[in-house]
Amino acid sequence: METRRQIEVTTDKPLHVVGLDTVRAFAALSVMFAHILGPGLPDIFTMLGFNNAIAGLSKYLFTGHPAVIVFFVVSGFCIHYPYTRRQLPVLAFTLARWTRIMIPALIAMLFAQLLGMHKYNFIDGFILWSIVCELWYYSLYPLLLVLSRKVSFENQFIVAFAISLIIVIYLGSDQYGNAKNYGVGLNWFVALPSWLLGCVLANRVAQQSNRMPVNIRQIVMWRASVAVVASILYWLTLNTFIGYYLTMNFFAVLVVFWINAEIRAKKDKTSLFEKIGKWSYSIYLFHIIIFSSLGLLFAAASPFGRLLTLPLALIGCYVAYKLFEEKSHQLARYIFKKIDSKSGWNI
C-alpha cells in the first residue's frame, strides 16, 4: 500500500482525496451561476409570481468571491498534502504547477480578447486575478514549506491573517467591497491566510489515522451553512461597509470545516459532483467567455436567455476541459517526471 502511495505522489498527480472534487464542483458552479444567472434572478422570480422582497433577495443566492476563497483553501490543501510525508522537488513542482494552470488560462484570455473582453487579463483582474494569486502561492510554497519546519502553518496563518487585516483596513476597497483591488502585488497576500488554512487542514488530515465518518445529514448541514453564510456576506458587501475584504478570511475558517466533512463523508468518486469537479477549472475560466459568445447568437442576457445559456455553457466548458485543461495536466505530469528524475533539488 505504501509503495503504491509513493508511486502516485511522484507523478505530480495529487493523491486523490475523495470529496475535494465535490467541493470544487460547488465552488465553480456557484461562480458560474453568479455571473450568468444571478443578474437575471430577480426578474425570473418576479415572473414566477414571487413578491418583490423575495425577488430582490434572489440575486444573493449564488456568490462569486466566496467561491474563490473555497478554491484557495482547496488549493492550499492539494498543494501541501502530497508533501506532508515526502520531500518537495522544487524545480519539478514549480514548472509543473505553472504549466497546468497557465496553459488553460492563456487560452481563455486569448478567446476573451477576440470577443472584446479586454478586462479579462492578469492585470485588470476579471476572473484571472485569482490565477495570479495561485501563481504566487505555487512559487512561494517551497519557502513556506521550509519555514513551516520552524514556524507551523497554524502560526503562519495567524501572522498572515493579522497583516492581511491591517492592509485591507488601511487601504480599504471599492463600493462593492472587492478584495481583488489591491493589484498583483498585494491581492495574493490579502487572501494568503485562506490558502494557508488549506495547508493546515492537509497536515491534520494526513495525521488522522481513523476518521469519524460523516453522514449525509451532516454534509447537507455544512453545505447549507456555507451557502447561507456566503449569501449573507454577499448582501453585507453590497449593502453595508462590511465588504468581502473584511470577511473572506473569516469565511475560510467555516470552509475548512466543510471541506473536512466532505473528506470524511462516504461517497463514490464516480458521483456526479466528483465528476464535475474534475473540470471545475475550465468552468471557472471559460463560462463567461461562452456566455458572451452565445450572446452573439441570441439574447443570452435576457432572464430566460440566461436559463437557456446555463446547460450550453456547461457543455462548452466540458469541451474546453477535454481540449485544453486535460492536455495541460498531461503535459505538467510529463514535465514533473522528466525534471524530477534529473534534478536533485529537493527540500
Side-chain angles (χ1 to χ4, degrees):
M1 184 68 178
E2 184 63 20
T3 301
R4 181 172 178 269
R5 187 179 190 280
Q6 291 171 348
I7 291 174
E8 288 177 339
V9 172
T10 59
T11 63
D12 189 45
K13 184 177 182 180
L15 294 172
H16 185 72
V17 179
V18 178
L20 289 180
D21 282 332
T22 294
V23 174
R24 288 190 185 99
F26 281 118
L29 292 173
S30 181
V31 173
M32 179 180 175
F33 288 1
H35 287 162
I36 295 179
L37 194 58
L41 278 178
D43 289 334
I44 293 173
F45 271 65
T46 299
M47 292 177 185
L48 292 175
F50 289 90
N51 62 45
N52 291 335
I54 295 177
L57 290 174
S58 66
K59 70 178 180 181
Y60 303 107
L61 280 177
F62 304 109
T63 60
H65 199 94
V68 174
I69 296 301
V70 173
F71 277 125
F72 285 155
V73 177
V74 171
S75 172
F77 181 95
C78 291
I79 291 301
H80 181 52
Y81 187 65
Y83 302 106
T84 55
R85 299 184 182 182
R86 68 166 296 228
Q87 288 187 314
L88 171 72
V90 177
L91 186 59
F93 164 84
T94 305
L95 291 178
R97 296 307 305 186
W98 273 68
T99 297
R100 71 186 297 156
I101 195 173
M102 281 298 287
I103 290 177
L106 289 172
I107 292 172
M109 187 172 70
L110 174 61
F111 282 123
Q113 299 307 308
L114 292 175
L115 287 169
M117 300 170 62
H118 300 303
K119 292 281 187 183
Y120 195 107
N121 61 65
F122 293 103
I123 303 300
D124 291 315
F126 183 70
I127 295 290
L128 296 183
W129 73 272
S130 65
I131 308 305
V132 175
C133 292
E134 291 286 4
L135 294 175
W136 274 101
Y137 302 147
Y138 297 163
S139 301
L140 291 173
Y141 174 65
L143 176 62
L144 296 173
L145 178 62
V146 172
L147 180 63
S148 71
R149 294 163 188 166
K150 297 292 184 180
V151 180
S152 68
F153 277 117
E154 286 87 349
N155 288 333
Q156 289 184 41
F157 161 74
I158 293 171
V159 172
F161 185 92
I163 298 175
S164 173
L165 200 58
I166 292 171
I167 290 173
V168 298
I169 290 175
Y170 179 74
L171 295 180
S173 185
D174 66 10
Q175 68 270 28
Y176 299 109
N178 285 322
K180 63 177 184 293
N181 294 297
Y182 307 106
V184 296
L186 278 180
N187 280 335
W188 68 274
F189 199 95
V190 169
L192 178 62
S194 298
W195 192 85
L196 287 171
L197 277 177
C199 298
V200 172
L201 179 60
N203 277 340
R204 297 193 176 183
V205 170
Q207 293 166 3
Q208 292 172 357
S209 56
N210 295 312
R211 303 174 196 164
M212 293 294 293
V214 175
N215 59 44
I216 186 62
R217 183 180 300 178
Q218 292 170 302
I219 285 295
V220 170
M221 181 198 72
W222 282 114
R223 291 175 182 175
S225 298
V226 169
V228 169
V229 171
S231 294
I232 291 172
L233 296 182
Y234 188 13
W235 184 90
L236 288 172
T237 289
L238 293 186
N239 296 282
T240 75
F241 70 93
I242 305 175
Y244 284 147
Y245 68 105
L246 286 173
T247 60
M248 285 298 94
N249 287 319
F250 290 99
F251 175 68
V253 177
L254 175 63
V255 171
V256 166
F257 284 98
W258 170 40
I259 293 174
N260 189 45
E262 293 282 358
I263 292 172
R264 290 164 53 197
K266 292 182 179 180
K267 58 170 64 73
D268 188 347
K269 65 181 180 181
T270 62
S271 66
L272 176 61
F273 287 111
E274 284 290 295
K275 289 182 177 179
I276 293 175
K278 292 185 184 304
W279 43 286
S280 58
Y281 185 42
S282 290
I283 295 174
Y284 182 71
L285 286 177
F286 290 97
H287 72 275
I288 199 66
I289 296 171
I290 297 169
F291 175 69
S292 298
S293 301
L294 292 173
L296 301 175
L297 303 176
F298 59 89
S302 66
F304 287 103
R306 293 177 182 274
L307 287 173
L308 176 62
T309 299
L310 281 175
L312 297 176
L314 273 174
I315 293 170
C317 290
Y318 181 73
V319 172
Y321 164 73
K322 297 301 290 186
L323 290 176
F324 311 125
E325 185 185 352
E326 191 175 55
K327 300 298 188 295
S328 74
H329 287 188
Q330 293 170 355
L331 178 59
R333 287 193 288 270
Y334 174 81
I335 291 173
F336 185 93
K337 287 188 288 186
K338 283 293 184 183
I339 297 178
D340 189 31
S341 64
K342 298 178 181 179
S343 173
W345 187 15
N346 297 330
I347 58 173

